[in-house]
């Protein structure tokens, strides 16, 4: 598995790529792509990093697994390819943005426009076998992405972290610097969105913070 990742991340994470666990992870992922249908396409595994260099990160949104349905995952958490129906969790994200800002419902679930503005859309696990949620968990991806969260929090100041759901909120322990804004709530999944995600005001709060540090606000829709 070639490590095709933006040079800024390669520099920040070089020591992780040299560790034994990452070699084992690489061997596992290579084998999975040979034997099974795995998402996203191999060229998109590190897409979140390629689209947002270290110095361009302004907001971090943490997800868990890539989507495991055909044509959905393309390397950005919560995001799907343009031609794919918008998944329920992303639909609730759009509903919350509309509640805060107004506007019409997007026709596409492709969140590349957010990455282009400095939103790092990071899943904890970067690959998954088709139709088998969680199939690539506990193979080393979490160790890698935990290192990403920790090192980024030390390398950069004054970032916004959107942590939705218990899994993402636990990652707050990895955020080392206090010079960041952490916003937490329930997950946007239909199972929990009504218990604290819808109405959390996170998108306006994130922009208010960015403007307070003389940063451009994010165009959420």
């Amino acid at each position: 598995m070639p490590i095709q990742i933006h040079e800024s991340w390669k520099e920040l994470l070089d020591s992780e790529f040299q560790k034994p666990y990452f070699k084992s992870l690489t061997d596992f992922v290579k084998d999975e792509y040979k034997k099974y249908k795995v998402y996203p396409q191999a060229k998109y595994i590190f897409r979140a990093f390629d689209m947002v260099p270290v110095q361009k990160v302004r907001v971090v949104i943490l997800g868990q697994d890539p989507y495991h349905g055909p044509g959905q995952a393309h390397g950005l958490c919560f995001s799907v390819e343009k031609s794919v129906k918008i998944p329920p969790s992303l639909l609730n994200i759009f509903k919350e943005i509309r509640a805060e800002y107004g506007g019409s419902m997007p026709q596409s679930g492709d969140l590349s426009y957010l990455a282009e503005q400095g939103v790092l859309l990071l899943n904890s696990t970067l690959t998954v076998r088709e139709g088998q949620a969680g199939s690539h968990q506990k193979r080393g991806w979490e160790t890698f992405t935990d290192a990403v969260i920790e090192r980024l929090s030390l390398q950069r100041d004054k970032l916004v972290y959107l942590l939705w759901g218990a899994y993402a909120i636990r990652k707050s322990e990895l955020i080392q610097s206090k010079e960041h804004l952490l916003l937490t709530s329930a997950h946007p999944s239909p199972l929990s969105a009504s218990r604290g995600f819808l109405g959390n005001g996170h998108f306006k709060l994130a922009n208010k913070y960015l403007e307070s540090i003389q940063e451009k606000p994010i165009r959420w829709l």
Side-chain angles (χ1 to χ4, degrees):
M1 183 176 68
I3 309 303
Q4 298 174 337
I5 191 169
H6 191 275
E7 199 61 37
S8 63
W9 289 104
K10 193 174 288 186
E11 183 177 333
L12 185 66
L13 301 167
D14 183 64
S15 62
E16 290 301 307
F17 297 136
Q18 311 308 319
K19 292 180 179 178
Y21 87 84
F22 199 85
K23 172 64 164 59
S24 298
L25 171 62
T26 298
D27 291 343
F28 166 74
V29 172
K30 279 182 178 177
D31 195 52
E32 286 285 292
Y33 273 94
K34 286 177 184 175
K35 293 180 177 178
Y36 306 100
K37 187 71 174 178
V38 174
Y39 299 122
Q41 294 181 56
K43 65 181 180 179
Y44 289 147
I45 292 174
F46 296 105
R47 189 167 182 233
F49 303 94
D50 290 332
M51 290 196 72
V52 193
V54 172
Q55 294 304 320
K56 297 290 187 181
V57 178
R58 301 196 290 145
V59 177
V60 180
I61 297 179
L62 296 180
Q64 192 165 354
D65 253 20
Y67 296 115
H68 53 82
Q72 291 181 305
H74 62 154
L76 307 174
C77 76
F78 292 107
S79 180
V80 292
E81 297 277 13
K82 285 186 170 67
S83 60
V84 176
K85 182 181 178 182
I86 298 173
S89 290
L90 180 54
L91 198 60
N92 281 330
I93 290 171
F94 285 150
K95 284 180 181 177
E96 177 56 28
I97 296 171
R98 288 182 66 209
E100 294 181 37
Y101 284 102
S104 57
M105 182 65 70
Q107 298 303 302
S108 164
D110 184 351
L111 301 181
S112 298
Y113 71 96
L114 293 180
E116 290 165 358
Q117 298 176 77
V119 180
L120 182 66
L121 296 161
L122 179 65
N123 274 318
S124 182
T125 303
L126 300 188
T127 55
V128 68
R129 195 184 296 177
E130 182 179 43
Q132 297 185 39
S135 51
H136 287 189
Q137 291 178 5
K138 299 180 181 178
R139 292 287 187 165
W141 277 131
E142 296 93 337
T143 303
F144 174 73
T145 53
D146 282 358
V148 170
I149 296 166
E150 186 170 11
R151 293 188 189 196
L152 179 64
S153 73
L154 290 168
Q155 179 78 8
R156 297 287 314 282
D157 285 329
K158 299 179 180 178
L159 301 179
V160 180
Y161 290 83
L162 301 182
L163 308 175
W164 301 325
Y167 184 87
I169 291 170
R170 284 197 297 272
K171 300 292 184 179
S172 63
E173 299 171 3
L174 301 165
I175 300 169
Q176 299 297 309
S177 172
K178 294 181 180 178
E179 296 295 317
H180 300 295
L181 175 65
L182 276 61
L183 298 174
T184 63
S185 79
H187 193 275
S189 161
L191 298 175
S192 56
S194 62
R195 299 200 298 269
F197 177 80
L198 295 174
N200 66 16
H202 279 186
F203 302 101
K204 276 195 171 181
L205 288 170
N207 276 347
K208 183 178 179 182
Y209 178 77
L210 291 172
E211 290 176 311
S212 76
I213 58 172
Q214 285 71 57
E215 287 273 357
K216 283 180 62 176
I218 302 294
R219 177 180 57 81
W220 292 109
L221 279 184

